[in-house]
Amino acid sequence: MLHERFQAVDKAQLARRFGAAARHYDAHARFQQEVGQALLAQLPQGQWGDALDLGCGTGFFLPALASRCQQLHGLDLAPGMLAQAARRGSGARLLCGDAEALPLADASLDLVFSSLALQWCECPQQAFAELHRVLRPGGRVLFSTLLDGSLWQLAQAWQAVDGKPHINRFLGQTRLREALEKSGFETPIIEVRPWHLGYGQLAELLRDLKGIGASQVNEGGQEGLGGRARLVRLTQAYERFRRGDGLLEASYRVALVQLQRA
Ligand SMILES: C[S@@+](CC[C@H](N)C(=O)[O-])C[C@H]1O[C@@H](n2cnc3c(N)ncnc32)[C@H](O)[C@@H]1O
């Protein structure tokens, strides 16, 4: 099925970047762990049958999910992430694959959990159509993703340096809802939560982004941060986002989404 492309993503490069970050990922993933826990808290009580953690990364959520279902798959684009996930000993079956072309049979799952992975897709609607295809009737999806406005301070600071935002594009809430509805999910529940992180220095935020492998994937991403002089200018430009408590603010807009296949 062909759907509108939201962004161009070099998937081989994305997999390499996340794979290379895998060993250090957890140490830089405070935000990702908080979001995933918030998503997990929305999982309805009870035991599930066949489940998938889509974009499972290092498998941080696999043990908790495994305790709630009969059979669990963990799927990720990056073999390096899966190698790390294998060390959790969760019993999940690990699969290398793409959310936009899931290597899973139609109507084979009761539950899909996916935290902060789907924003990396080229065509979100294609990924949502895949979720719909692999779910059994009545099956549920819980996913979190980033919405536009995420990392707006970093985008503004970069704009002040060279007129370009240097951050990934994120879907807006309306477009997210439309893509879900067009994929067959008639009544998506979308909760939008702002998340404000505080950093002593900009370098710490940049280290976290690099540490989880989350560099810019789309237009302009290949330019990187540039030389030291640009970094100094960026650091100065970011200073205006220092809060009353002395920390620099980095904000995300997170969508926590619940879906059910009719
Ligand atoms: C920010 S990490 C989140 C990992 C984990 N869910 C967590 O919350 O810690 C994003 C993960 O999504 C994976 N990913 C990105 N695009 C993907 C795709 N198209 N299909 C499957 N996995 C993908 C990356 O390899 C990476 O492991």
Side-chain angles (χ1 to χ4, degrees):
M1 201 189 304
L2 283 177
H3 296 297
E4 188 193 343
R5 191 165 80 166
F6 174 68
Q7 58 188 350
V9 178
D10 179 338
K11 299 241 173 128
Q13 189 189 55
L14 186 75
R16 273 198 304 278
R17 255 192 225 161
F18 273 113
R23 282 182 54 212
H24 311 288
Y25 177 94
D26 289 346
H28 293 280
R30 168 179 59 137
F31 165 64
Q32 287 72 17
Q33 287 167 9
E34 282 180 18
V35 171
Q37 295 293 2
L39 192 62
L40 210 50
Q42 297 194 341
L43 186 63
Q45 288 302 314
Q47 281 296 116
W48 296 83
D50 295 304
L52 167 70
D53 183 352
L54 175 58
C56 64
T58 62
F60 189 83
F61 296 101
L62 291 177
L65 289 168
S67 71
R68 300 286 307 277
C69 58
Q70 278 163 9
Q71 179 159 193
L72 178 63
H73 291 86
L75 181 142
D76 203 281
L77 197 61
M81 282 289 192
L82 292 169
Q84 206 61 25
R87 302 169 76 164
R88 301 253 176 216
S90 65
R93 291 189 184 176
L94 300 176
L95 289 171
C96 193
D98 185 345
E100 293 175 77
L102 287 173
L104 294 166
D106 294 0
S108 57
L109 296 175
D110 303 297
L111 173 70
V112 178
F113 174 93
S114 179
S115 194
L116 295 179
L118 290 170
Q119 70 274 9
W120 300 103
C121 287
E122 269 199 332
C123 175
Q125 201 182 319
Q126 172 66 25
F128 301 150
E130 279 294 86
L131 291 177
H132 195 268
R133 178 182 70 76
V134 299
L135 277 184
R136 297 187 174 119
R140 301 273 193 112
V141 180
L142 288 183
F143 80 88
S144 63
T145 193
L146 299 179
L147 294 179
D148 62 352
S150 292
L151 290 174
W152 66 268
Q153 298 94 340
L154 185 58
Q156 278 198 13
W158 266 122
Q159 287 281 3
V161 172
D162 65 6
K164 297 178 194 161
H166 291 266
I167 65 162
N168 285 325
R169 291 176 61 208
F170 302 113
L171 278 179
Q173 187 181 351
T174 305
R175 233 171 133 187
L176 172 65
R177 182 177 292 280
E178 279 169 8
L180 288 166
E181 287 171 354
K182 283 187 194 157
S183 309
F185 293 108
E186 282 161 20
T187 49
I189 300 173
I190 303 177
E191 182 193 340
V192 179
R193 282 197 206 173
W195 233 278
H196 303 292
L197 309 187
Y199 287 91
Q201 303 299 331
L202 177 65
E204 295 165 24
L205 166 62
L206 298 179
R207 262 202 300 277
D208 271 0
L209 292 174
K210 191 166 179 222
I212 65 154
S215 318
Q216 190 187 7
V217 289
N218 37 36
E219 301 83 5
Q222 65 285 359
E223 291 169 20
L225 291 179
R228 185 169 155 67
R230 271 155 59 85
L231 212 51
V232 170
R233 283 165 60 206
L234 181 69
T235 304
Q236 286 164 351
Y238 209 103
E239 273 305 311
R240 66 191 167 103
F241 302 116
R242 207 171 274 285
R243 312 185 295 215
D245 64 359
L247 297 176
L248 293 170
E249 185 148 285
S251 302
Y252 289 92
R253 277 180 77 227
V254 178
L256 299 174
V257 181
Q258 298 185 45
L259 309 170
Q260 184 161 29
R261 183 174 171 173

